Structures are given as C-alpha cells and as structure tokens.
mmCIF file of all heavy atoms in Angstrom:
data_model
loop_
_atom_site.group_PDB
_atom_site.id
_atom_site.type_symbol
_atom_site.label_atom_id
_atom_site.label_comp_id
_atom_site.label_asym_id
_atom_site.label_seq_id
_atom_site.Cartn_x
_atom_site.Cartn_y
_atom_site.Cartn_z
ATOM 1 N N ARG A 92 -39.588 46.933 -51.850
ATOM 2 C CA ARG A 92 -38.308 47.465 -51.402
ATOM 3 C C ARG A 92 -37.175 46.823 -52.183
ATOM 4 O O ARG A 92 -37.247 45.661 -52.571
ATOM 5 C CB ARG A 92 -38.112 47.187 -49.903
ATOM 6 C CG ARG A 92 -39.157 47.825 -48.996
ATOM 7 C CD ARG A 92 -39.075 49.331 -49.030
ATOM 8 N NE ARG A 92 -37.816 49.853 -48.519
ATOM 9 C CZ ARG A 92 -37.615 50.254 -47.258
ATOM 10 N NH1 ARG A 92 -38.592 50.163 -46.383
ATOM 11 N NH2 ARG A 92 -36.441 50.719 -46.884
ATOM 12 N N PHE A 93 -36.111 47.604 -52.382
ATOM 13 C CA PHE A 93 -34.912 47.061 -53.010
ATOM 14 C C PHE A 93 -34.095 46.280 -51.989
ATOM 15 O O PHE A 93 -34.196 46.503 -50.780
ATOM 16 C CB PHE A 93 -34.035 48.189 -53.556
ATOM 17 C CG PHE A 93 -34.581 48.866 -54.777
ATOM 18 C CD1 PHE A 93 -34.601 50.253 -54.864
ATOM 19 C CD2 PHE A 93 -35.048 48.138 -55.860
ATOM 20 C CE1 PHE A 93 -35.086 50.895 -55.988
ATOM 21 C CE2 PHE A 93 -35.533 48.768 -56.997
ATOM 22 C CZ PHE A 93 -35.552 50.155 -57.049
ATOM 23 N N ASP A 94 -33.275 45.376 -52.513
ATOM 24 C CA ASP A 94 -32.211 44.790 -51.712
ATOM 25 C C ASP A 94 -31.134 45.865 -51.600
ATOM 26 O O ASP A 94 -30.403 46.135 -52.559
ATOM 27 C CB ASP A 94 -31.669 43.541 -52.409
ATOM 28 C CG ASP A 94 -30.522 42.886 -51.643
ATOM 29 O OD1 ASP A 94 -29.980 43.506 -50.706
ATOM 30 O OD2 ASP A 94 -30.155 41.744 -51.994
ATOM 31 N N LEU A 95 -31.050 46.499 -50.434
ATOM 32 C CA LEU A 95 -30.175 47.654 -50.277
ATOM 33 C C LEU A 95 -28.695 47.291 -50.325
ATOM 34 O O LEU A 95 -27.847 48.176 -50.449
ATOM 35 C CB LEU A 95 -30.500 48.398 -48.985
ATOM 36 C CG LEU A 95 -31.909 48.995 -48.921
ATOM 37 C CD1 LEU A 95 -32.104 49.765 -47.620
ATOM 38 C CD2 LEU A 95 -32.174 49.909 -50.113
ATOM 39 N N ARG A 96 -28.384 46.013 -50.250
ATOM 40 C CA ARG A 96 -26.987 45.625 -50.448
ATOM 41 C C ARG A 96 -26.599 45.797 -51.912
ATOM 42 O O ARG A 96 -25.431 46.046 -52.225
ATOM 43 C CB ARG A 96 -26.784 44.164 -50.020
ATOM 44 C CG ARG A 96 -27.004 43.905 -48.533
ATOM 45 C CD ARG A 96 -27.091 42.424 -48.256
ATOM 46 N NE ARG A 96 -28.222 41.812 -48.951
ATOM 47 C CZ ARG A 96 -28.542 40.529 -48.877
ATOM 48 N NH1 ARG A 96 -27.805 39.700 -48.152
ATOM 49 N NH2 ARG A 96 -29.589 40.046 -49.525
ATOM 50 N N GLU A 97 -27.562 45.662 -52.818
ATOM 51 C CA GLU A 97 -27.315 45.786 -54.249
ATOM 52 C C GLU A 97 -27.681 47.173 -54.785
ATOM 53 O O GLU A 97 -26.975 47.733 -55.632
ATOM 54 C CB GLU A 97 -28.110 44.720 -55.013
ATOM 55 C CG GLU A 97 -27.708 43.292 -54.712
ATOM 56 C CD GLU A 97 -26.539 42.836 -55.581
ATOM 57 O OE1 GLU A 97 -25.896 43.682 -56.219
ATOM 58 O OE2 GLU A 97 -26.286 41.618 -55.615
ATOM 59 N N ILE A 98 -28.810 47.701 -54.331
ATOM 60 C CA ILE A 98 -29.312 48.981 -54.842
ATOM 61 C C ILE A 98 -29.561 49.917 -53.657
ATOM 62 O O ILE A 98 -30.706 50.151 -53.252
ATOM 63 C CB ILE A 98 -30.605 48.790 -55.668
ATOM 64 C CG1 ILE A 98 -30.424 47.677 -56.707
ATOM 65 C CG2 ILE A 98 -30.983 50.096 -56.364
ATOM 66 C CD1 ILE A 98 -31.675 47.361 -57.507
ATOM 67 N N PRO A 99 -28.492 50.466 -53.061
ATOM 68 C CA PRO A 99 -28.669 51.341 -51.907
ATOM 69 C C PRO A 99 -29.035 52.774 -52.280
ATOM 70 O O PRO A 99 -29.644 53.496 -51.487
ATOM 71 C CB PRO A 99 -27.297 51.297 -51.229
ATOM 72 C CG PRO A 99 -26.345 51.065 -52.363
ATOM 73 C CD PRO A 99 -27.077 50.182 -53.338
ATOM 74 N N GLU A 100 -28.644 53.211 -53.498
ATOM 75 C CA GLU A 100 -28.855 54.603 -53.895
ATOM 76 C C GLU A 100 -29.423 54.667 -55.307
ATOM 77 O O GLU A 100 -28.806 55.199 -56.215
ATOM 78 C CB GLU A 100 -27.542 55.377 -53.824
ATOM 79 C CG GLU A 100 -26.959 55.508 -52.429
ATOM 80 C CD GLU A 100 -25.693 56.337 -52.443
ATOM 81 O OE1 GLU A 100 -24.633 55.801 -52.804
ATOM 82 O OE2 GLU A 100 -25.787 57.533 -52.106
ATOM 83 N N SER A 101 -30.618 54.113 -55.469
ATOM 84 C CA SER A 101 -31.245 54.139 -56.790
ATOM 85 C C SER A 101 -31.382 55.578 -57.262
ATOM 86 O O SER A 101 -31.851 56.447 -56.537
ATOM 87 C CB SER A 101 -32.607 53.452 -56.744
ATOM 88 O OG SER A 101 -33.415 54.021 -55.735
ATOM 89 N N SER A 102 -30.969 55.819 -58.507
ATOM 90 C CA SER A 102 -30.919 57.192 -58.989
ATOM 91 C C SER A 102 -31.697 57.409 -60.277
ATOM 92 O O SER A 102 -31.987 58.540 -60.629
ATOM 93 C CB SER A 102 -29.453 57.599 -59.205
ATOM 94 O OG SER A 102 -29.345 58.956 -59.532
ATOM 95 N N GLY A 103 -32.015 56.335 -60.999
ATOM 96 C CA GLY A 103 -32.763 56.477 -62.238
ATOM 97 C C GLY A 103 -33.516 55.204 -62.552
ATOM 98 O O GLY A 103 -33.133 54.111 -62.122
ATOM 99 N N ILE A 104 -34.604 55.350 -63.311
ATOM 100 C CA ILE A 104 -35.413 54.194 -63.699
ATOM 101 C C ILE A 104 -36.059 54.472 -65.041
ATOM 102 O O ILE A 104 -36.420 55.610 -65.364
ATOM 103 C CB ILE A 104 -36.497 53.884 -62.639
ATOM 104 C CG1 ILE A 104 -37.308 52.637 -63.037
ATOM 105 C CG2 ILE A 104 -37.405 55.077 -62.391
ATOM 106 C CD1 ILE A 104 -38.266 52.154 -61.964
ATOM 107 N N VAL A 105 -36.190 53.425 -65.871
ATOM 108 C CA VAL A 105 -36.954 53.500 -67.101
ATOM 109 C C VAL A 105 -37.526 52.122 -67.373
ATOM 110 O O VAL A 105 -36.931 51.101 -66.998
ATOM 111 C CB VAL A 105 -36.074 53.988 -68.279
ATOM 112 C CG1 VAL A 105 -35.134 52.891 -68.769
ATOM 113 C CG2 VAL A 105 -36.916 54.520 -69.417
ATOM 114 N N LYS A 106 -38.700 52.081 -68.013
ATOM 115 C CA LYS A 106 -39.326 50.806 -68.329
ATOM 116 C C LYS A 106 -38.863 50.316 -69.692
ATOM 117 O O LYS A 106 -38.753 51.097 -70.649
ATOM 118 C CB LYS A 106 -40.847 50.926 -68.335
ATOM 119 C CG LYS A 106 -41.543 49.574 -68.493
ATOM 120 C CD LYS A 106 -43.052 49.699 -68.469
ATOM 121 C CE LYS A 106 -43.703 48.317 -68.572
ATOM 122 N NZ LYS A 106 -45.176 48.398 -68.629
ATOM 123 N N SER A 107 -38.583 49.029 -69.793
ATOM 124 C CA SER A 107 -38.239 48.431 -71.077
ATOM 125 C C SER A 107 -39.445 48.493 -72.007
ATOM 126 O O SER A 107 -40.588 48.324 -71.590
ATOM 127 C CB SER A 107 -37.815 46.972 -70.880
ATOM 128 O OG SER A 107 -37.607 46.347 -72.136
ATOM 129 N N ARG A 108 -39.184 48.716 -73.279
ATOM 130 C CA ARG A 108 -40.233 48.669 -74.290
ATOM 131 C C ARG A 108 -40.191 47.363 -75.067
ATOM 132 O O ARG A 108 -41.016 47.136 -75.944
ATOM 133 C CB ARG A 108 -40.101 49.863 -75.249
ATOM 134 C CG ARG A 108 -40.305 51.196 -74.542
ATOM 135 C CD ARG A 108 -40.167 52.359 -75.488
ATOM 136 N NE ARG A 108 -40.249 53.627 -74.769
ATOM 137 C CZ ARG A 108 -40.048 54.820 -75.317
ATOM 138 N NH1 ARG A 108 -39.753 54.890 -76.611
ATOM 139 N NH2 ARG A 108 -40.124 55.921 -74.591
ATOM 140 N N ARG A 109 -39.232 46.532 -74.746
ATOM 141 C CA ARG A 109 -39.058 45.257 -75.437
ATOM 142 C C ARG A 109 -39.437 44.077 -74.559
ATOM 143 O O ARG A 109 -40.013 43.100 -75.039
ATOM 144 C CB ARG A 109 -37.606 45.119 -75.893
ATOM 145 C CG ARG A 109 -37.269 43.793 -76.534
ATOM 146 C CD ARG A 109 -35.831 43.777 -77.034
ATOM 147 N NE ARG A 109 -35.632 44.703 -78.148
ATOM 148 C CZ ARG A 109 -34.470 44.904 -78.740
ATOM 149 N NH1 ARG A 109 -33.385 44.278 -78.316
ATOM 150 N NH2 ARG A 109 -34.367 45.734 -79.758
ATOM 151 N N TYR A 110 -39.118 44.141 -73.259
ATOM 152 C CA TYR A 110 -39.334 43.029 -72.342
ATOM 153 C C TYR A 110 -40.440 43.408 -71.351
ATOM 154 O O TYR A 110 -40.295 44.363 -70.593
ATOM 155 C CB TYR A 110 -38.034 42.691 -71.607
ATOM 156 C CG TYR A 110 -36.907 42.357 -72.557
ATOM 157 C CD1 TYR A 110 -35.885 43.279 -72.810
ATOM 158 C CD2 TYR A 110 -36.866 41.137 -73.222
ATOM 159 C CE1 TYR A 110 -34.860 42.983 -73.691
ATOM 160 C CE2 TYR A 110 -35.845 40.828 -74.120
ATOM 161 C CZ TYR A 110 -34.845 41.770 -74.345
ATOM 162 O OH TYR A 110 -33.839 41.474 -75.225
ATOM 163 N N PRO A 111 -41.543 42.671 -71.354
ATOM 164 C CA PRO A 111 -42.686 43.020 -70.516
ATOM 165 C C PRO A 111 -42.333 43.041 -69.024
ATOM 166 O O PRO A 111 -41.607 42.170 -68.537
ATOM 167 C CB PRO A 111 -43.717 41.923 -70.823
ATOM 168 C CG PRO A 111 -43.317 41.381 -72.156
ATOM 169 C CD PRO A 111 -41.822 41.482 -72.200
ATOM 170 N N ASP A 112 -42.856 44.047 -68.342
ATOM 171 C CA ASP A 112 -42.772 44.150 -66.882
ATOM 172 C C ASP A 112 -41.334 44.207 -66.375
ATOM 173 O O ASP A 112 -41.046 43.778 -65.254
ATOM 174 C CB ASP A 112 -43.516 42.988 -66.218
ATOM 175 C CG ASP A 112 -44.962 42.896 -66.677
ATOM 176 O OD1 ASP A 112 -45.582 43.954 -66.876
ATOM 177 O OD2 ASP A 112 -45.463 41.771 -66.863
ATOM 178 N N VAL A 113 -40.432 44.748 -67.178
ATOM 179 C CA VAL A 113 -39.031 44.905 -66.786
ATOM 180 C C VAL A 113 -38.709 46.390 -66.721
ATOM 181 O O VAL A 113 -39.061 47.152 -67.629
ATOM 182 C CB VAL A 113 -38.074 44.203 -67.775
ATOM 183 C CG1 VAL A 113 -36.614 44.572 -67.487
ATOM 184 C CG2 VAL A 113 -38.261 42.694 -67.706
ATOM 185 N N PHE A 114 -38.027 46.777 -65.644
ATOM 186 C CA PHE A 114 -37.554 48.141 -65.476
ATOM 187 C C PHE A 114 -36.039 48.112 -65.295
ATOM 188 O O PHE A 114 -35.496 47.180 -64.695
ATOM 189 C CB PHE A 114 -38.203 48.804 -64.254
ATOM 190 C CG PHE A 114 -39.690 48.949 -64.363
ATOM 191 C CD1 PHE A 114 -40.532 47.885 -64.071
ATOM 192 C CD2 PHE A 114 -40.259 50.154 -64.759
ATOM 193 C CE1 PHE A 114 -41.909 48.009 -64.182
ATOM 194 C CE2 PHE A 114 -41.636 50.289 -64.872
ATOM 195 C CZ PHE A 114 -42.464 49.209 -64.578
ATOM 196 N N TRP A 115 -35.378 49.155 -65.798
ATOM 197 C CA TRP A 115 -33.933 49.278 -65.645
ATOM 198 C C TRP A 115 -33.620 50.344 -64.605
ATOM 199 O O TRP A 115 -34.147 51.458 -64.666
ATOM 200 C CB TRP A 115 -33.280 49.617 -66.983
ATOM 201 C CG TRP A 115 -33.427 48.515 -67.984
ATOM 202 C CD1 TRP A 115 -34.316 48.459 -69.027
ATOM 203 C CD2 TRP A 115 -32.682 47.289 -68.015
ATOM 204 N NE1 TRP A 115 -34.168 47.275 -69.712
ATOM 205 C CE2 TRP A 115 -33.173 46.538 -69.115
ATOM 206 C CE3 TRP A 115 -31.652 46.756 -67.239
ATOM 207 C CZ2 TRP A 115 -32.665 45.282 -69.447
ATOM 208 C CZ3 TRP A 115 -31.148 45.508 -67.569
ATOM 209 C CH2 TRP A 115 -31.643 44.790 -68.650
ATOM 210 N N VAL A 116 -32.763 49.978 -63.653
ATOM 211 C CA VAL A 116 -32.430 50.841 -62.518
ATOM 212 C C VAL A 116 -30.916 50.868 -62.355
ATOM 213 O O VAL A 116 -30.227 49.894 -62.672
ATOM 214 C CB VAL A 116 -33.099 50.313 -61.220
ATOM 215 C CG1 VAL A 116 -32.660 51.103 -60.007
ATOM 216 C CG2 VAL A 116 -34.614 50.358 -61.352
ATOM 217 N N HIS A 117 -30.405 51.968 -61.853
ATOM 218 C CA HIS A 117 -28.979 52.054 -61.541
ATOM 219 C C HIS A 117 -28.782 52.847 -60.257
ATOM 220 O O HIS A 117 -29.672 53.580 -59.807
ATOM 221 C CB HIS A 117 -28.199 52.712 -62.681
ATOM 222 C CG HIS A 117 -28.643 54.123 -62.979
ATOM 223 N ND1 HIS A 117 -28.229 55.211 -62.244
ATOM 224 C CD2 HIS A 117 -29.477 54.606 -63.923
ATOM 225 C CE1 HIS A 117 -28.777 56.307 -62.726
ATOM 226 N NE2 HIS A 117 -29.551 55.962 -63.744
ATOM 227 N N ASN A 118 -27.600 52.720 -59.680
ATOM 228 C CA ASN A 118 -27.226 53.476 -58.489
ATOM 229 C C ASN A 118 -26.566 54.800 -58.877
ATOM 230 O O ASN A 118 -26.132 55.006 -60.009
ATOM 231 C CB ASN A 118 -26.256 52.666 -57.630
ATOM 232 C CG ASN A 118 -26.941 51.589 -56.832
ATOM 233 O OD1 ASN A 118 -27.882 51.839 -56.080
ATOM 234 N ND2 ASN A 118 -26.475 50.345 -56.988
ATOM 235 N N ASP A 119 -26.436 55.661 -57.877
ATOM 236 C CA ASP A 119 -25.762 56.949 -58.006
ATOM 237 C C ASP A 119 -24.251 56.732 -57.951
ATOM 238 O O ASP A 119 -23.763 55.606 -57.837
ATOM 239 C CB ASP A 119 -26.238 57.858 -56.868
ATOM 240 C CG ASP A 119 -26.059 59.334 -57.186
ATOM 241 O OD1 ASP A 119 -25.288 59.655 -58.111
ATOM 242 O OD2 ASP A 119 -26.669 60.160 -56.494
ATOM 243 N N SER A 120 -23.510 57.836 -58.001
ATOM 244 C CA SER A 120 -22.048 57.782 -57.935
ATOM 245 C C SER A 120 -21.596 57.148 -56.630
ATOM 246 O O SER A 120 -22.320 57.131 -55.636
ATOM 247 C CB SER A 120 -21.460 59.187 -58.046
ATOM 248 O OG SER A 120 -21.949 60.009 -57.004
ATOM 249 N N GLY A 121 -20.377 56.612 -56.649
ATOM 250 C CA GLY A 121 -19.859 55.911 -55.486
ATOM 251 C C GLY A 121 -20.221 54.446 -55.467
ATOM 252 O O GLY A 121 -19.832 53.718 -54.553
ATOM 253 N N ASN A 122 -20.964 54.006 -56.471
ATOM 254 C CA ASN A 122 -21.362 52.602 -56.597
ATOM 255 C C ASN A 122 -20.822 52.040 -57.913
ATOM 256 O O ASN A 122 -20.301 52.768 -58.754
ATOM 257 C CB ASN A 122 -22.885 52.477 -56.547
ATOM 258 C CG ASN A 122 -23.459 52.891 -55.207
ATOM 259 O OD1 ASN A 122 -23.451 52.125 -54.258
ATOM 260 N ND2 ASN A 122 -23.943 54.124 -55.120
ATOM 261 N N SER A 123 -20.968 50.738 -58.089
ATOM 262 C CA SER A 123 -20.440 50.095 -59.280
ATOM 263 C C SER A 123 -21.206 50.524 -60.529
ATOM 264 O O SER A 123 -22.352 50.980 -60.455
ATOM 265 C CB SER A 123 -20.515 48.572 -59.129
ATOM 266 O OG SER A 123 -21.872 48.161 -59.037
ATOM 267 N N ALA A 124 -20.551 50.370 -61.680
ATOM 268 C CA ALA A 124 -21.163 50.687 -62.974
ATOM 269 C C ALA A 124 -22.011 49.495 -63.406
ATOM 270 O O ALA A 124 -21.602 48.679 -64.237
ATOM 271 C CB ALA A 124 -20.084 50.998 -63.996
ATOM 272 N N THR A 125 -23.211 49.404 -62.835
ATOM 273 C CA THR A 125 -24.073 48.235 -63.032
ATOM 274 C C THR A 125 -25.490 48.672 -63.335
ATOM 275 O O THR A 125 -26.017 49.605 -62.710
ATOM 276 C CB THR A 125 -24.080 47.352 -61.768
ATOM 277 O OG1 THR A 125 -22.749 46.994 -61.433
ATOM 278 C CG2 THR A 125 -24.903 46.097 -61.978
ATOM 279 N N LEU A 126 -26.116 47.998 -64.312
ATOM 280 C CA LEU A 126 -27.546 48.159 -64.566
ATOM 281 C C LEU A 126 -28.282 46.955 -64.000
ATOM 282 O O LEU A 126 -27.848 45.808 -64.175
ATOM 283 C CB LEU A 126 -27.829 48.248 -66.064
ATOM 284 C CG LEU A 126 -27.613 49.586 -66.760
ATOM 285 C CD1 LEU A 126 -28.092 49.489 -68.202
ATOM 286 C CD2 LEU A 126 -28.327 50.713 -66.050
ATOM 287 N N PHE A 127 -29.414 47.228 -63.341
ATOM 288 C CA PHE A 127 -30.225 46.175 -62.751
ATOM 289 C C PHE A 127 -31.557 46.099 -63.484
ATOM 290 O O PHE A 127 -32.226 47.122 -63.685
ATOM 291 C CB PHE A 127 -30.495 46.459 -61.276
ATOM 292 C CG PHE A 127 -29.261 46.501 -60.423
ATOM 293 C CD1 PHE A 127 -28.546 47.686 -60.264
ATOM 294 C CD2 PHE A 127 -28.794 45.362 -59.775
ATOM 295 C CE1 PHE A 127 -27.403 47.733 -59.478
ATOM 296 C CE2 PHE A 127 -27.652 45.397 -58.992
ATOM 297 C CZ PHE A 127 -26.954 46.587 -58.848
ATOM 298 N N ALA A 128 -31.940 44.887 -63.882
ATOM 299 C CA ALA A 128 -33.289 44.639 -64.363
ATOM 300 C C ALA A 128 -34.136 44.246 -63.151
ATOM 301 O O ALA A 128 -33.791 43.298 -62.441
ATOM 302 C CB ALA A 128 -33.303 43.523 -65.401
ATOM 303 N N VAL A 129 -35.213 44.997 -62.899
ATOM 304 C CA VAL A 129 -36.063 44.728 -61.744
ATOM 305 C C VAL A 129 -37.511 44.659 -62.190
ATOM 306 O O VAL A 129 -37.878 45.118 -63.278
ATOM 307 C CB VAL A 129 -35.902 45.814 -60.647
ATOM 308 C CG1 VAL A 129 -34.445 45.944 -60.212
ATOM 309 C CG2 VAL A 129 -36.442 47.160 -61.120
ATOM 310 N N ASP A 130 -38.355 44.074 -61.331
ATOM 311 C CA ASP A 130 -39.786 44.084 -61.600
ATOM 312 C C ASP A 130 -40.434 45.230 -60.827
ATOM 313 O O ASP A 130 -39.750 46.041 -60.191
ATOM 314 C CB ASP A 130 -40.423 42.729 -61.274
ATOM 315 C CG ASP A 130 -40.351 42.374 -59.781
ATOM 316 O OD1 ASP A 130 -40.037 43.258 -58.945
ATOM 317 O OD2 ASP A 130 -40.619 41.198 -59.451
ATOM 318 N N ARG A 131 -41.772 45.311 -60.867
ATOM 319 C CA ARG A 131 -42.473 46.425 -60.225
ATOM 320 C C ARG A 131 -42.294 46.452 -58.715
ATOM 321 O O ARG A 131 -42.525 47.484 -58.086
ATOM 322 C CB ARG A 131 -43.967 46.357 -60.544
ATOM 323 C CG ARG A 131 -44.328 46.831 -61.928
ATOM 324 C CD ARG A 131 -45.828 46.819 -62.148
ATOM 325 N NE ARG A 131 -46.152 47.119 -63.537
ATOM 326 C CZ ARG A 131 -46.110 46.235 -64.512
ATOM 327 N NH1 ARG A 131 -45.768 44.980 -64.241
ATOM 328 N NH2 ARG A 131 -46.405 46.586 -65.748
ATOM 329 N N ARG A 132 -41.948 45.339 -58.132
ATOM 330 C CA ARG A 132 -41.762 45.293 -56.680
ATOM 331 C C ARG A 132 -40.302 45.488 -56.273
ATOM 332 O O ARG A 132 -39.952 45.322 -55.119
ATOM 333 C CB ARG A 132 -42.313 43.979 -56.128
ATOM 334 C CG ARG A 132 -43.804 43.819 -56.385
ATOM 335 C CD ARG A 132 -44.418 42.693 -55.590
ATOM 336 N NE ARG A 132 -45.840 42.600 -55.847
ATOM 337 C CZ ARG A 132 -46.775 43.353 -55.276
ATOM 338 N NH1 ARG A 132 -46.413 44.289 -54.424
ATOM 339 N NH2 ARG A 132 -48.058 43.196 -55.559
ATOM 340 N N GLY A 133 -39.483 45.814 -57.251
ATOM 341 C CA GLY A 133 -38.087 46.079 -56.949
ATOM 342 C C GLY A 133 -37.216 44.848 -56.852
ATOM 343 O O GLY A 133 -36.037 44.951 -56.493
ATOM 344 N N ARG A 134 -37.768 43.674 -57.176
ATOM 345 C CA ARG A 134 -36.982 42.441 -57.110
ATOM 346 C C ARG A 134 -36.040 42.369 -58.297
ATOM 347 O O ARG A 134 -36.446 42.583 -59.434
ATOM 348 C CB ARG A 134 -37.906 41.229 -57.074
ATOM 349 C CG ARG A 134 -38.756 41.163 -55.804
ATOM 350 C CD ARG A 134 -39.781 40.058 -55.853
ATOM 351 N NE ARG A 134 -40.781 40.278 -56.896
ATOM 352 C CZ ARG A 134 -41.950 39.667 -56.940
ATOM 353 N NH1 ARG A 134 -42.270 38.792 -55.993
ATOM 354 N NH2 ARG A 134 -42.807 39.904 -57.921
#
C-alpha cells in the first residue's frame, strides 16, 4: 500500500531501466508536481 498522505491518487507508473527495483509514480491533478521513486511494495 502507498502512504496515502503522499500518494493518494496514483495515476501513472513506469519502471526505471537504470536503477534496479525502482519504479516512478506520480499523482493525478489537484496534487503537487512531484515524482516518487518507490519499490515494488509501494514504499
């Protein structure tokens, strides 16, 4: 599960091809312009 205080409306995800086991996630509109690096468990 995500920390919903930080990622309440996850809208997109892609896996890094450079950094092992890293995924990039962002929120939908109405949230800050922030990219989150997360692992497979959403941490």
Side-chain angles (χ1 to χ4, degrees):
R92 299 294 296 265
F93 288 133
D94 179 347
L95 297 183
R96 295 167 298 181
E97 296 274 13
I98 311 176
E100 295 182 281
S101 54
S102 186
I104 182 172
V105 75
K106 187 179 182 183
S107 174
R108 296 180 185 174
R109 176 176 293 178
Y110 303 104
D112 304 323
V113 170
F114 297 82
W115 295 102
V116 174
H117 61 81
N118 283 305
D119 203 343
S120 59
N122 295 279
S123 64
T125 304
L126 279 186
F127 298 88
V129 304
D130 64 13
R131 283 184 187 81
R132 299 193 179 279
R134 295 173 295 198

